[in-house]
Amino acid sequence: MARDDVADDGPPAKKARPTSVEDVVVERAGQGAAAMKSGRGALTLEEIAGDKLTQLAIKHWSEAARQQEQPPAFSPQLVEQIYRQELGGGQTRPPLLRRIMLLEVSQYLEGYLWPNFDPVTSSDGHVMSMLIMVNEKFRETVPPWTAFHTHKDVFPAFFQRVLALRTPAARAQLAQHESTAYLLFMINAFQSLEDEMVRAQVLKLVSLPLWHGLSHGRLQLELAAQPALAKRWKALLKKEAKAAAAAAAKKQQQQPAGDQDAAAATAQPKELPRAEAAFLPGMLQEFLHCLRTADAKLTGQSPPAAAVTAAAAADPAADADDEDDEDAAADGSAAAADAAANGHQQPATAAGGQQQRQQRRKPGRVGKRLLVHLERFVEFLIDLLSQLPTRRFVHAVVEDQQLLVKARRSVLYSSPEGHLFRQLLDLLNFYCDFPLNDHTGEQLKEEDVVGQHYDKVCQVQRLFFKHWPQLRDLALANCAAACDPAGLKRALQGLSQDELRDLVCKQLRLVGQDDPWAQDHDFLLDVVVTAYQRRASQRAAINAMPLYPTEGLLWDATQIPTAAYSGERPLALPKLNLQFLSPSDYLLRNFHLFRLEAAYEVREDIEVALQRLQPGKDFDNNIKFKGWSKMCTPVTSFRITQVAPARVGEAHPALVHAEVVIDTRGMRGDVASGWDELKQHDVLFMLAVNPPNEDELLEMAASSNSGTAAAAAANMSLVQRVGLLAVRGAEIVEVRDEEGGLMNDFTGRVRLDERKPPKGFVRTYVLALDPAQYQLDVNATSAGTAPDVYTTFNLLLRRDAKENNFKAVLESIRDSLNEQLVIPEWLVDIFLGYGDAGAAHYTQMPDEGRIKTVDFKDTFLDAQHLINSFPHYDVTFVTGSSSSGGNGSSKISTGSGQYDPAALPAPPYKVTFPTDQQQLQIAPGSTKRGADAESTLGSTTTAAEGTASGSTKPVLLVEHYKPVNMGPYPEDKPKGNEVRFTPVQAEAVSSGVQPGLTMVVGPPGTGKTDTAVQILQVLYHNCPGQRTLLITHSNQALNDLFAKMVARDIPARYLLRLGMGERDLDVDDDFSRAGRVNNMLARRLQLLAEVERLASLLGVASAEYTCETAGYFWLLHVLSRWEKFSAAVSSAEHKGRAASVGELFPFKEYFADAPQPLFKGDSYEEDMEVAAGCFRHLRQLFQELEETRPFELLKGQADRVSYLCTKQAKVVAMTCTHAALKRREFINLGLKYDNIVMEEAGQVLEIETFIPMVLQRQEDSIARLKRVILIGDHHQLPPVVQNMAFQKYSHLDQSLFARFIRLGTPYVELNAQGRARPSIASLYNWRYGGLQDLPAVTQNPVFQAANPGFGYDYQLVNVPDFNGRGESEPMPYYYQNLGEAEYIVAVYSFMRLLGYPANKISILTTYNGQKDLIRD
């Protein structure tokens, strides 16, 4: 482990991770030689350039050095020198983090270590150096295994060398921090199972041979429960015995003849498991030895008898530092553990040196590095048990060792130093008890878990009844009493040590008979109690957990670390990696992490508000606020108004209401408006502060030797300085003004015409408190352990509405946990991270669900466009007549390239794909697998290759059809597509229409939005009965996509836009729920007026029509007249006569306002088509009236809105945040949908991507969802996560989109951009491997002309300090740079003077402080 370069309590790092030398450099004035000497200062560019590591890199492994005619020869001595001097090799102190960062920036691993690695001759220092550098890449989130892929064939040998470091001789040479670095490498390797090269090696460590480490009794139990594994185990034993016999025979042949007879006489056949099988058991023993060493330190006793490592004995510094001495002892004990596990004995060192070290040892303290090693190992086990491929065989080994029981009996577990260790063990216990079948991966239901538990209890009761008369009372007790921990322990206390050992080891087989711990009577009791006590339900714990954060959680650094998290120590947090055990495991991890991230954001807002308010006390000891905050205000009064009785089965009140009163008098207008705009369901926080007075500050100064009260206050944390006592959250029920009038009521209690402006300045908020938290507070007050916080609240805090939706999201996750979620069968394995990642691609989906013939509508602009879009097919056009002029159809094949373009029909087209699944092809190079994989899915044989090899391409049948005439009016002809889609975009559209999972990666400017709109367009027309959810991350992106969709051929009455962002939608109509309902009612009146006009023109008695009577009118008067007309014009008298159509058409007068002439009289067929179009117009009119009828029958607005959402709308658009907020409402409404299209999927949190998939209640355990289309770019911005620890450690900023790509899910990567000049696009197109430019950006004069006033297309400007000042931080995390702000404003003014329009200029900045400065 490396030491961090900054103190743990220092300011947060400005940048998340370094990716270059410039990222390592932070120029700060005033850092002197003392900081440099301590190793905790930052380096300047000049210092890096002059650093010896930089000089070594330039000379030995830089790009320039490697490209010389005679590159420098590899020097193993140089590797050893760097390992010893810079990476802490053989030293008791760990290396400085900044030295490792410098080596990483210089590409030490990929430029020197790996290219020169030799499995035979490379030293252990070389291997350890590689491990440390891989760990650094993981810490910096740089792709760690890319360098190793240059020589994949060497990686297995490298991994064997890594395993060789576990031998007693090699392990004895490692210091504690080196052992921890080795352990961290293993953690990182097991988190990289998506890499086939790594996966093939690490899974060997957790495969079936691992069960060699099981006790005999536990092994028999496991094999009896899994007959298939029992067969594999027998075959494994035979294979190993055969290999051992062959090795023995080979060894015997190599010995002299005389020695062979002696060896044969003394040899005893003994089968030793291979190194992979001994890896984890050896690490478990090492962990227990280190744990005993830590306990010895805490109790002041001597550590377990073990040898000190050779490195520690040889290093005089080992005796100079207490912590290093502790690490050396731990190293020795760990080495002894390895020796014992492998049947070896470590040599003893001089007793004198060890006695001297023991004399200087300080009892009662555990070394930090030893503690980190223990914590890392628990993290390692958690990672193994939280992934199904690694859990399968590891779980039994961990349980057989009774590791949890042994760790919980340690002194460290109950000590203050072991707080994080204790939390990690609790997380390990959760995964040990997770309800899952380890071998099938099937999650167990709650009732199955309870049933299995009581079956186990009944079995042990039968055992007691039959063989243990002294336990007869326990055998005859009910199951609940038999598994009660106190009663069980009390009953077993009567057994002797031998009896208890026989029961636990021989009969129950909970502990191995050769385990030394089996001699401990109390340990055996704990093992039995742990095995048979009732497990607590995690789901029940989640349901009883308060959702609002309190002061205890907000400032708990072990759960919510500071922003300066360096990754030096693990955290007791779940991780979001590739795989999950079950949907419940996925939801639980996301619930905890989302809750903690929300709490961190709340804490930041509270701290900012308290800093602005500056609470203090006057001379009368009254609390006064010297400052002000627009988000936080003093409370006038607070009281609990209602506490409802608990519901059946609950231990807390059903609801708790309170009233809090504030006074907005004296507030600025915009600040008061912010408080007045609060509405139902908004979340507020109540704070209680009691800052220390002057006398209390003086007492603190005296006790801390601070001198003055001001100095004492400066040394205090913010929570201590303001005297923060309590934080409680609540949800608004209603808001009232000074006269008691309801404000912002959307429940219908106040009619729209009765709403009035609020009266006065006093505002009363009726709040719904968290009942679970209220019960906890009441219990604590009753027990005398805490004061009554509800009498102390004196501040009320509100938050920005966009950042204050955490409660609704947590409720949605909790509701999902309590439901039986049904994920589509084709998606569930990929979602959990298992199976074939390409199984959900449309080419692998079952034939019955696939659309064989797709109507692409206006996707293709001409026939050549279609041919170019499917180069992997023989595109064959089916024409209406043969070439000879006879009736029938003919085919024009374009596969050979010999065809007449003029003979090809015009669009639109219906395309029939091959029925044979094996013939389904994709565009060459369009669909990839893996984040950076070069391989593509399916065949990529080009036309030229296919012809050269003589093979034939699959046939794609294309049928032209004439667009249906929908009426004579211009508005009857929808706007068509004008985008010439590239072949890759056409592949994305083809994939999106088919069932399954479609992933589209869209680099900047490649037309992601146009592709999404076209998918929706084609999907609607091919599956008109299906409903689609359209999801984006931001309102802006959703409005942009929705506006383009409105202009296409999807009727507006089928479109619905949900959420607050609808008000910013740049279209004429209102697409909100209320707007759509009003539009439908207004449209109803308009259509009924048309019916009345038609009736009068037809001479039908006029009456007041409704939607129902209009339907009768359609049947009796419209449809009947059309049928008579059709029969008349088809008769022998009129058929073929052009004038007859216009003469006989019954609705000519109705269409008199259409463009004339309606019927030209030149062609019978053309006039009949016009007549059919007119009839379709009428039919559409009455069909729309029929769809409007429910809005006529439903009288309430709420019922109309519900019908609109659940029945009428075919495309429902919302943000992912709105979906999470309203999930419960959608479930209650009965929302149904078949498809999901999500844009900006790379910027959405995992859970916010998942929630839209479960917004509907499944019926009969059948998932209705048919398509999931994710469009995004994982190379651009990830989801926003503010806490660095949740980013780096828990990977909360991982999107589902990025995870699917890591898993190897096929995706379509759009490969042509049309947004930026080629010179600008070259800045980022390298990241996408083949991103090209569309002809528009290379041929359009706008892109060819120079930018007036600028000499370059792009420019990087170094702005020097302004007036001697560079970057500043007026308040925490609020960064500003006045010089840069002045410069950018000058550039903006310059551009405006030259005539650049303001709406064409964008200014981007990374900090809110700089944004505010630029606006000023």
Side-chain angles (χ1 to χ4, degrees):
M1 292 297 293
R3 285 182 292 152
D4 198 0
D5 288 303
V6 296
D8 293 340
D9 56 352
K14 178 181 175 182
K15 297 183 179 180
R17 53 184 178 268
T19 56
S20 65
V21 174
E22 286 75 10
D23 286 341
V24 180
V25 178
V26 181
E27 293 192 58
R28 295 185 185 274
Q31 288 186 334
M36 291 291 100
K37 185 177 180 180
S38 67
R40 297 185 180 273
L43 293 173
T44 64
L45 278 172
E46 292 77 10
E47 289 170 332
I48 286 184
D51 192 279
K52 63 179 181 180
L53 288 179
T54 306
Q55 300 302 319
L56 287 174
I58 293 174
K59 180 179 179 181
H60 291 278
W61 65 82
S62 66
E63 190 69 24
R66 284 180 285 173
Q67 291 180 354
Q68 294 177 2
E69 292 185 4
Q70 293 183 348
F74 172 68
S75 171
Q77 294 78 16
L78 177 61
V79 173
E80 286 297 315
Q81 175 187 342
I82 294 177
Y83 176 60
R84 297 290 176 183
Q85 296 180 3
E86 306 293 347
L87 298 179
Q91 307 298 319
T92 55
R93 284 183 174 273
L96 292 174
L97 178 60
R98 58 195 174 102
R99 307 305 291 171
I100 303 177
M101 291 168 63
L102 278 172
L103 286 170
E104 165 56 24
V105 170
S106 69
Q107 298 186 331
Y108 183 46
L109 174 64
E110 48 267 65
Y112 203 62
L113 292 177
W114 178 242
N116 297 293
F117 171 75
D118 186 278
V120 178
T121 61
S122 293
S123 65
D124 288 349
H126 192 144
V127 177
M128 279 300 304
S129 298
M130 296 173 69
L131 267 57
I132 294 172
M133 299 314 300
V134 169
N135 292 342
E136 179 61 17
K137 287 184 178 292
F138 270 96
R139 195 190 70 83
E140 298 179 9
T141 63
V142 175
W145 308 110
T146 304
F148 294 91
H149 283 274
T150 57
H151 302 290
K152 287 185 178 181
D153 54 326
V154 184
F155 189 80
F158 162 72
F159 202 78
Q160 289 301 316
R161 286 296 310 272
V162 173
L163 295 182
L165 293 175
R166 294 294 310 159
T167 60
R171 175 66 184 88
Q173 302 299 319
L174 299 181
Q176 185 69 64
H177 67 86
E178 294 175 293
S179 298
T180 306
Y182 181 94
L183 183 56
L184 184 58
F185 172 82
M186 284 299 173
I187 292 173
N188 293 328
F190 275 99
Q191 291 287 306
S192 305
L193 296 184
E194 76 276 15
D195 193 305
E196 183 179 358
M197 176 187 70
V198 180
R199 181 175 65 248
Q201 302 304 317
V202 298
L203 289 186
K204 294 178 182 178
L205 304 180
V206 291
S207 58
L208 183 59
L210 178 64
W211 278 5
H212 279 294
L214 288 178
S215 64
H216 178 73
R218 181 59 184 259
L219 178 62
Q220 298 306 314
L221 289 176
E222 293 292 335
L223 296 179
Q226 301 292 331
L229 285 180
K231 295 180 180 179
R232 288 181 55 192
W233 181 255
K234 292 179 180 178
L236 176 67
L237 293 181
K238 291 181 181 179
K239 182 179 179 180
E240 290 180 347
K242 185 177 180 180
K250 183 178 179 180
K251 182 177 180 181
Q252 188 174 4
Q253 291 175 0
Q254 295 174 350
Q255 292 179 347
D259 295 339
Q260 290 182 12
D261 296 336
T266 58
Q268 297 293 332
K270 182 179 180 181
E271 298 178 10
L272 294 177
R274 54 193 184 192
E276 291 89 345
F279 174 79
L280 186 60
M283 295 195 75
L284 289 171
Q285 294 302 319
E286 175 189 334
F287 168 77
L288 293 175
H289 274 271
C290 290
L291 188 59
R292 287 199 293 271
T293 301
D295 285 354
K297 294 297 178 182
L298 289 171
T299 58
Q301 301 174 358
S302 298
V308 181
T309 63
D315 186 6
D319 294 331
D321 183 76
D322 179 60
E323 186 173 307
D324 296 335
D325 175 57
E326 293 171 352
D327 291 342
D331 291 339
S333 63
D338 273 341
N342 293 279
H344 300 282
Q345 181 66 37
Q346 283 294 105
T349 59
Q354 185 170 352
Q355 290 175 358
Q356 293 175 3
R357 285 190 293 272
Q358 289 178 357
Q359 292 173 1
R360 287 190 294 267
R361 182 175 293 115
K362 300 177 182 179
R365 188 170 68 91
V366 179
K368 179 181 177 182
R369 292 193 284 280
L370 175 58
L371 185 58
V372 170
H373 184 84
L374 293 170
E375 293 166 350
R376 284 291 184 190
F377 185 78
V378 180
E379 177 196 3
F380 178 55
L381 291 182
I382 292 171
D383 288 349
L384 293 182
L385 293 178
S386 60
Q387 299 182 110
L388 195 58
T390 56
R391 175 188 178 91
R392 189 179 184 187
F393 300 107
V394 171
H395 189 199
V397 174
V398 174
E399 282 195 340
D400 185 49
Q401 289 285 342
Q402 295 296 337
L403 189 77
L404 276 169
V405 178
K406 294 174 181 177
R408 284 174 171 168
R409 289 180 57 81
S410 66
V411 180
L412 177 63
Y413 181 79
S414 56
S415 68
E417 295 178 87
H419 182 61
L420 177 58
F421 179 72
R422 187 162 54 249
Q423 290 180 326
L424 286 165
L425 284 177
D426 291 341
L427 187 57
L428 176 63
N429 181 60
F430 165 73
Y431 280 109
C432 282
D433 293 341
F434 194 84
L436 185 83
N437 187 313
D438 295 337
H439 301 283
T440 65
E442 180 184 1
Q443 184 179 0
L444 304 179
K445 298 180 180 178
E446 192 74 26
E447 52 270 24
D448 296 333
V449 175
V450 174
Q452 290 182 4
H453 169 73
Y454 285 123
D455 287 344
K456 187 169 68 171
V457 173
C458 290
Q459 289 177 3
V460 77
Q461 283 184 297
R462 287 193 290 269
L463 174 68
F464 291 163
F465 184 83
K466 184 175 182 180
H467 298 288
W468 297 93
Q470 57 270 53
L471 300 178
R472 185 66 56 87
D473 291 341
L474 191 61
L476 297 177
N478 59 66
C479 288
C483 62
D484 176 63
L488 188 59
K489 182 174 289 189
R490 186 168 52 252
L492 295 176
Q493 287 282 9
L495 300 181
S496 65
Q497 173 65 27
D498 293 339
E499 291 175 334
L500 185 59
R501 186 172 59 252
D502 289 344
L503 171 65
V504 176
C505 299
K506 294 182 178 180
Q507 294 184 327
L508 299 179
R509 302 179 185 181
L510 297 176
V511 179
Q513 297 185 47
D514 55 348
D515 193 327
W517 288 71
Q519 307 300 322
D520 188 334
H521 188 273
D522 292 336
F523 165 73
L524 296 177
L525 288 177
D526 289 341
V527 167
V528 177
V529 169
T530 303
Y532 290 97
Q533 69 180 355
R534 175 76 181 273
R535 302 291 195 273
S537 170
Q538 186 71 11
R539 183 178 301 174
I542 293 293
N543 291 333
M545 180 183 297
L547 297 181
Y548 300 110
T550 64
E551 69 283 354
L553 173 65
L554 291 172
W555 283 273
D556 184 352
T558 60
Q559 297 191 66
I560 307 179
T562 63
Y565 176 74
S566 64
E568 185 180 6
R569 297 182 69 176
L571 297 170
L573 298 175
K575 297 178 183 178
L576 302 185
N577 200 38
L578 284 176
Q579 299 173 331
F580 300 89
L581 298 178
S582 69
S584 294
D585 178 41
Y586 175 85
L587 291 171
L588 283 169
R589 295 194 209 186
N590 279 279
F591 179 88
H592 289 298
L593 291 175
F594 191 90
R595 174 173 174 263
L596 294 175
E597 168 67 11
Y600 173 77
E601 296 176 8
V602 171
R603 184 178 76 183
E604 296 291 297
D605 289 345
I606 292 176
E607 290 181 345
V608 170
L610 292 177
Q611 286 175 344
R612 291 180 179 273
L613 282 170
Q614 301 178 33
K617 287 186 177 179
D618 58 15
F619 292 106
D620 296 329
N621 214 31
N622 296 321
I623 299 176
K624 298 294 183 181
F625 300 99
K626 302 176 184 178
W628 71 278
S629 171
K630 67 178 182 179
M631 308 302 288
C632 190
T633 186
V635 169
T636 302
S637 66
F638 174 88
R639 65 189 183 94
I640 302 291
T641 58
Q642 182 183 3
V643 179
R647 298 186 184 95
V648 176
E650 294 184 350
H652 56 73
L655 63 87
V656 181
H657 282 182
E659 283 187 0
V660 60
V661 180
I662 67 170
D663 193 340
T664 61
R665 187 180 290 105
M667 291 184 182
R668 223 169 48 198
D670 59 325
V671 177
S673 297
W675 289 100
D676 287 347
E677 290 170 1
L678 293 174
K679 58 187 181 301
Q680 186 181 20
H681 301 307
D682 285 346
V683 173
L684 299 177
F685 285 90
M686 299 164 291
L687 313 179
V689 296
N690 185 23
N693 56 30
E694 191 73 17
D695 294 337
E696 292 170 336
L697 287 174
L698 289 174
E699 292 180 5
M700 296 177 186
S703 61
S704 61
N705 297 323
S706 300
T708 63
N715 293 331
M716 297 166 63
S717 66
L718 176 66
V719 174
Q720 296 172 327
R721 192 163 60 249
V722 302
L724 184 64
L725 302 177
V727 178
R728 296 292 181 270
E731 184 179 284
I732 294 178
V733 177
E734 63 184 32
V735 184
R736 295 187 177 273
D737 61 16
E738 193 165 346
E739 297 181 0
L742 282 174
M743 299 170 53
N744 306 330
D745 181 71
F746 299 98
T747 62
R749 290 181 292 173
V750 180
R751 292 170 51 183
L752 291 176
D753 56 349
E754 295 178 353
R755 293 185 180 179
K756 300 178 181 178
K759 304 292 184 181
F761 298 98
V762 176
R763 301 291 179 260
T764 301
Y765 301 99
V766 179
L767 306 178
L769 307 183
D770 192 318
Q773 183 62 54
Y774 179 80
Q775 187 64 49
L776 292 175
D777 292 333
V778 171
N779 294 342
T781 304
S782 301
T785 57
D788 183 5
V789 298
Y790 296 97
T791 62
T792 61
F793 293 132
N794 49 12
L795 288 174
L796 189 65
L797 174 81
R798 64 182 176 93
R799 302 179 67 226
D800 189 342
K802 295 181 180 180
E803 303 171 354
N804 206 28
N805 50 35
F806 69 93
K807 178 178 179 288
V809 178
L810 291 176
E811 286 179 335
S812 295
I813 302 175
R814 189 165 65 180
D815 291 344
S816 301
L817 275 168
N818 291 319
E819 298 169 4
Q820 187 64 35
L821 294 180
V822 180
I823 302 175
E825 185 178 351
W826 51 268
L827 182 62
V828 62
D829 285 345
I830 299 173
F831 174 75
L832 295 177
Y834 305 115
D836 180 11
H841 194 259
Y842 77 95
T843 58
Q844 309 297 321
M845 294 290 287
D847 290 340
E848 59 269 14
R850 212 166 47 241
I851 302 176
K852 305 297 189 301
T853 301
V854 178
D855 182 359
F856 278 96
K857 301 298 286 187
D858 55 1
T859 302
F860 305 107
L861 303 184
D862 50 54
Q864 193 61 46
H865 183 198
L866 187 147
I867 295 171
N868 295 339
S869 298
F870 296 100
H872 43 294
Y873 283 107
D874 177 6
V875 180
T876 302
F877 290 87
V878 180
T879 61
S881 59
S882 63
S883 58
S884 60
N887 295 329
S889 62
S890 63
K891 297 181 179 180
I892 302 177
S893 174
T894 64
S896 63
Q898 305 296 323
Y899 60 90
D900 181 12
L904 300 178
Y909 306 107
K910 291 183 179 179
V911 178
T912 302
F913 291 89
T915 56
D916 185 1
Q917 192 178 37
Q918 301 300 322
Q919 291 187 333
L920 285 176
Q921 303 292 302
I922 59 174
S926 69
T927 304
K928 305 178 181 180
R929 300 191 68 165
D932 299 293
E934 298 179 358
S935 62
T936 59
L937 184 72
S939 173
T940 58
T941 305
T942 63
E945 293 170 340
T947 304
S949 62
S951 62
T952 58
K953 294 186 289 186
V955 175
L956 197 72
L957 292 178
V958 179
E959 179 185 357
H960 158 77
Y961 68 94
K962 188 176 182 180
V964 176
N965 186 339
M966 296 303 297
Y969 299 100
E971 58 267 23
D972 291 328
K973 299 175 178 59
K975 179 182 178 182
N977 167 52
E978 299 177 354
V979 178
R980 180 171 287 273
F981 292 108
T982 66
V984 178
Q985 288 176 313
E987 171 62 29
V989 175
S990 302
S991 177
V993 175
Q994 300 293 348
L997 174 64
T998 297
M999 303 269 294
V1000 181
V1001 175
T1006 53
K1008 294 188 292 292
T1009 301
D1010 289 331
T1011 303
V1013 170
Q1014 195 63 27
I1015 290 174
L1016 289 165
Q1017 162 89 351
V1018 178
L1019 186 58
Y1020 165 77
H1021 287 284
N1022 283 270
C1023 306
Q1026 296 183 6
R1027 311 183 74 233
T1028 301
L1029 283 188
L1030 177 59
I1031 308 291
T1032 66
H1033 172 64
S1034 65
N1035 280 299
Q1036 181 178 354
L1038 184 60
N1039 288 341
D1040 183 27
L1041 197 157
F1042 196 87
K1044 290 186 175 183
M1045 190 169 55
V1046 168
R1048 301 301 298 278
D1049 188 18
I1050 302 178
R1053 65 182 183 275
Y1054 294 145
L1055 302 178
L1056 178 62
R1057 167 68 163 94
L1058 300 180
M1060 300 299 293
E1062 190 276 336
R1063 65 185 69 172
D1064 300 323
L1065 188 61
D1066 188 17
V1067 293
D1068 296 332
D1069 292 339
D1070 186 352
F1071 286 91
S1072 65
R1073 287 185 289 186
R1076 282 293 87 199
V1077 170
N1078 294 335
N1079 184 277
M1080 293 294 288
L1081 295 176
R1083 181 64 174 164
R1084 168 184 170 273
L1085 297 177
Q1086 182 181 352
L1087 294 175
L1088 289 178
E1090 290 294 310
V1091 172
E1092 291 185 4
R1093 184 169 75 89
L1094 178 61
S1096 64
L1097 293 175
L1098 295 178
V1100 179
S1102 180
E1104 186 176 349
Y1105 282 97
T1106 64
C1107 294
E1108 182 180 6
T1109 57
Y1112 299 143
F1113 174 76
W1114 158 260
L1115 293 174
L1116 297 176
H1117 300 287
V1118 180
L1119 184 59
S1120 61
R1121 281 174 169 78
W1122 172 258
E1123 291 174 346
K1124 290 179 182 179
F1125 165 76
S1126 300
V1129 296
S1130 300
S1131 64
E1133 180 182 356
H1134 298 285
K1135 188 172 185 180
R1137 181 171 172 267
S1140 298
V1141 178
E1143 295 171 356
L1144 299 177
F1145 188 66
F1147 311 113
K1148 192 181 337 182
E1149 294 183 13
Y1150 178 80
F1151 291 102
D1153 57 346
Q1156 300 297 323
L1158 193 62
F1159 301 102
K1160 297 180 180 180
D1162 298 333
S1163 169
Y1164 173 82
E1165 288 76 11
E1166 291 181 1
D1167 285 356
M1168 278 301 297
E1169 179 61 28
V1170 172
C1174 293
F1175 176 73
R1176 293 189 190 100
H1177 177 90
L1178 291 174
R1179 185 174 61 189
Q1180 183 69 23
L1181 184 152
F1182 285 95
Q1183 179 182 348
E1184 192 172 347
L1185 268 175
E1186 181 63 25
E1187 294 178 2
T1188 311
R1189 186 180 177 190
F1191 297 91
E1192 178 182 83
L1193 298 176
L1194 298 170
K1195 301 304 180 183
Q1197 183 78 351
D1199 294 334
R1200 290 169 175 169
V1201 167
S1202 298
Y1203 180 84
L1204 175 74
C1205 294
T1206 57
K1207 302 293 184 183
Q1208 175 70 17
K1210 297 294 180 63
V1211 179
V1212 182
M1214 68 186 84
T1215 63
C1216 57
T1217 302
H1218 186 83
L1221 291 175
K1222 300 294 183 180
R1223 180 182 183 272
R1224 185 176 295 178
E1225 179 181 328
F1226 291 140
I1227 292 291
N1228 294 333
L1229 282 177
L1231 178 67
K1232 299 294 181 184
Y1233 53 92
D1234 305 273
N1235 315 301
I1236 289 180
V1237 177
M1238 178 176 290
E1239 202 186 21
E1240 297 184 316
Q1243 300 180 35
V1244 184
L1245 291 173
E1246 278 248 8
I1247 191 62
E1248 292 183 337
T1249 308
F1250 175 70
I1251 288 178
M1253 300 181 189
V1254 290
L1255 294 182
Q1256 56 186 338
R1257 183 173 285 111
Q1258 311 297 341
E1259 298 176 356
D1260 301 325
S1261 297
I1262 297 176
R1264 178 168 172 163
L1265 195 61
K1266 300 176 180 62
R1267 295 171 185 83
V1268 175
I1269 303 161
L1270 303 179
I1271 305 173
D1273 185 2
H1274 58 294
H1275 295 307
Q1276 296 188 48
L1277 291 176
V1280 177
V1281 176
Q1282 295 190 15
N1283 189 289
M1284 196 63 63
F1286 302 148
Q1287 284 186 32
K1288 289 186 174 182
Y1289 184 81
S1290 296
H1291 313 300
L1292 183 57
D1293 62 340
Q1294 170 183 268
S1295 65
L1296 185 67
F1297 186 84
R1299 180 163 70 91
F1300 278 173
I1301 289 179
R1302 282 184 63 200
L1303 284 167
T1305 304
Y1307 63 91
V1308 179
E1309 183 172 282
L1310 307 183
N1311 62 351
Q1313 69 89 24
R1315 176 182 298 169
R1317 295 171 183 258
S1319 58
I1320 297 177
S1322 64
L1323 293 173
Y1324 57 83
N1325 60 13
W1326 60 270
R1327 191 66 183 87
Y1328 299 93
L1331 181 62
Q1332 304 168 1
D1333 299 316
L1334 288 172
V1337 299
T1338 57
Q1339 302 172 6
N1340 194 320
V1342 175
F1343 290 93
Q1344 295 295 318
N1347 294 314
F1350 292 94
Y1352 305 96
D1353 291 341
Y1354 61 86
Q1355 193 170 354
L1356 306 179
V1357 181
N1358 180 31
V1359 180
D1361 292 350
F1362 184 69
N1363 292 333
R1365 187 176 183 183
E1367 184 179 279
S1368 61
E1369 191 177 359
M1371 63 182 66
Y1373 322 126
Y1374 191 78
Y1375 298 102
Q1376 292 183 335
N1377 189 305
L1378 182 58
E1380 293 181 4
E1382 293 283 357
Y1383 188 90
I1384 197 64
V1385 170
V1387 172
Y1388 173 81
S1389 302
F1390 172 71
M1391 295 178 69
R1392 294 290 287 121
L1393 290 173
L1394 290 177
Y1396 289 92
N1399 61 356
K1400 295 293 184 180
I1401 304 174
S1402 298
I1403 299 176
L1404 304 179
T1405 181
T1406 53
Y1407 301 115
N1408 285 327
Q1410 190 71 358
K1411 179 187 69 175
D1412 296 340
L1413 190 59
I1414 293 173
R1415 284 180 172 175
D1416 290 344

